[in-house]
Amino acid sequence: MSVSERPEGLHPDTLAVGFGYDPASAYGSVKPPIVLSSTFAYPSAAAAKDVHRAYFDGPAPERDAPFIYARLDHPNLQLLQKRLAVLDGAEDAAAFASGMAAISATFLAHLKPGETLLHTQPLYGGTHGLAYGPLAGLGITAVPIVDGLDEASVLAAAETALAQGPVGMIHVESPANPTAGIADIAMIARVAGIIAERQGRRPVISVDNTFLGSLLQRPLEHGADLVITSLTKYAAGHSDLLGGCLTGSLERVGPVRMLRTLLGTHMDPFTSWLLLRSLETFPLRNARANANAGAIAAFLRDHPKVESVTYLGFLEEGTPARAVYDRQCGGAGSTFSFRIRGGEREAFAMLDALKVFRMAVSLGGTESLICHSATTTHYLVPPEIRRTVGVDDGTLRISVGIEHPDDLVADLSRALDAIP
Ligand SMILES: *Cc1c(COP(=O)(O)O)cnc(C)c1O
């Protein structure tokens, strides 16, 4: 058997390049072709019936049936999903048109009216908007966990939720944006067990793993049921496409994929192919960006015009956050915030003096990005809430790319000098 079929013992670097694809399936082409067809021919009328029976009634219905129509499944999507599953150490994966498409389909498939959704905070803006807007309209109540590192705090939030209805899901975002706040996935999984004893059913635990990605954090190994990732960020890595992914057991992913067929939010063939291409260099890009980020974080921490840096690698020894970080994360990633001395005026002066960093939201691309959180990503968040989530007028978020680290440090140094 070749790398196309057997993941055991192989490193992510190797799996990212070849897993799931057999050149013999496509004229011997070393790279998978793009199959753009929206529909797939049946060899006979009886075969058509069999295909539909397999899709709707088979043991793993929507996953293992022959292709019917591209919204249900198509060759590039199937291959991409195999590769994403193996990188997350999951039985199954479903890819979507964006990260929010993955999050919304997961919530809609696993939550019912009258149920509650426990969640860590702060949440990604889109997730927050979904939970407190359309989901609230469907009779689903979102309940925040104050401190995802403290079991008593999680239990207190569970009590609040249980008083309003069964807990259908627990959604964890760790590390959080832009605070880099950490939640203890294993402890939250234990609390899910306690909730199960109370309500007779274990809530589904989903983890938004966008901020570290599958190479640095594997939530399924710590007790999560589902992992959601915006592929737009590190996995795609070139800031040129939108995509999302859900991984977990066939039992938990299957219903979400079935719903995806009805919502029509699958990933298209060309984007799936681009992602397969991106994944091949994911480990290389990740290693370089992480090393660059470490160097930049150290430079900023020691700079007199910088007040603080929320880089995960600087978590203090002996703190609960550090203990969970050491157990749960394989590295600090390459997106973090820092606060310069002063406010909006000083922040803007620095931003306008940068030449290598590009000013834009998003993260995880080959290029380094920077943005002023209060006036961009957190524009809609009221100032008092902004302060509680650690965003003030001097806060800047950077996503470090794969450029030469000396050029990035020199750019930041010059820009900090430009602050009057
Ligand atoms: C970007 C992001 C999302 C949403 O992903 P899209 O691909 O933009 O839909 C969700 N969660 C986190 C943490 C993100 O950074």
Side-chain angles (χ1 to χ4, degrees), residues 86-366:
V86 82
L87 288 176
D88 266 358
E91 188 183 7
D92 197 15
F96 294 80
S98 70
M100 281 313 302
I103 292 171
S104 52
T106 303
F107 283 1
L108 288 172
H110 286 292
L111 286 166
K112 287 194 231 9
E115 291 185 344
T116 54
L117 164 67
L118 267 183
H119 67 83
T120 56
Q121 59 180 4
L123 285 176
Y124 177 72
T127 311
H128 188 274
L130 177 68
Y132 287 86
L135 288 190
L138 293 173
I140 294 157
T141 307
V143 176
I145 293 166
V146 174
D147 181 355
L149 285 169
D150 176 21
E151 183 157 347
S153 177
V154 181
L155 284 166
E159 285 302 335
T160 306
L162 281 164
Q164 298 174 75
V167 181
M169 283 187 73
I170 307 177
H171 183 69
V172 177
E173 212 179 297
S174 181
N177 168 31
T179 53
I182 291 201
D184 183 344
I185 299 168
M187 177 269 285
I188 289 172
R190 281 197 303 277
V191 173
I194 296 170
I195 296 172
E197 284 168 22
R198 295 275 298 277
Q199 64 180 27
R201 177 167 54 97
R202 191 173 177 277
V204 174
I205 303 170
S206 60
V207 174
D208 184 330
N209 200 32
T210 302
F211 256 67
L212 285 181
S214 54
L215 299 175
L216 295 180
Q217 184 168 258
R218 293 162 72 84
L220 298 174
E221 290 172 4
H222 300 277
D225 301 301
L226 292 170
V227 177
I228 306 176
T229 312
S230 169
L231 302 174
T232 311
K233 315 292 168 51
Y234 293 110
H238 295 71
S239 301
D240 56 6
L241 63 82
L242 291 170
C245 168
L246 177 70
T247 54
S249 65
L250 187 57
E251 185 196 348
R252 300 287 193 206
V253 174
V256 187
R257 191 179 22 240
M258 265 306 206
L259 182 62
R260 181 188 68 185
T261 289
L262 303 180
L263 297 171
T265 51
H266 63 295
M267 182 179 283
D268 70 274
F270 186 61
T271 307
S272 304
W273 180 85
L274 275 175
L275 256 157
L276 284 165
R277 192 179 163 133
S278 283
L279 287 179
E280 297 193 15
T281 55
F282 185 18
L284 281 177
R285 286 184 281 106
N286 220 53
R288 171 64 174 242
N290 293 343
N292 281 357
I296 289 170
F299 163 77
L300 289 170
R301 181 185 54 186
D302 298 338
H303 198 285
K305 287 187 177 172
V306 175
E307 202 172 288
S308 59
V309 179
T310 60
Y311 178 64
L312 286 171
F314 297 159
L315 284 173
E316 248 178 84
E317 293 287 350
T319 59
R322 179 65 195 225
V324 175
Y325 171 77
D326 286 342
R327 201 166 60 230
Q328 196 169 282
C329 311
S334 50
T335 302
F336 59 92
S337 298
F338 63 100
R339 191 180 294 164
I340 56 164
R341 297 190 192 283
E344 186 178 300
R345 197 175 68 95
E346 288 74 15
F348 282 15
M350 182 200 168
L351 288 173
D352 287 332
L354 287 165
K355 291 191 165 67
V356 177
F357 275 80
R358 297 198 188 278
M359 235 186 295
V361 299
S362 198
L363 57 106
T366 49

Side-chain angles (χ1 to χ4, degrees), residues 1-11 14-15 18-20 86:
M1 269 205 273
S2 69
V3 59
S4 65
E5 293 143 82
R6 209 175 51 179
E8 296 84 28
L10 295 173
H11 295 86
T14 307
L15 296 167
F19 183 71
V86 82

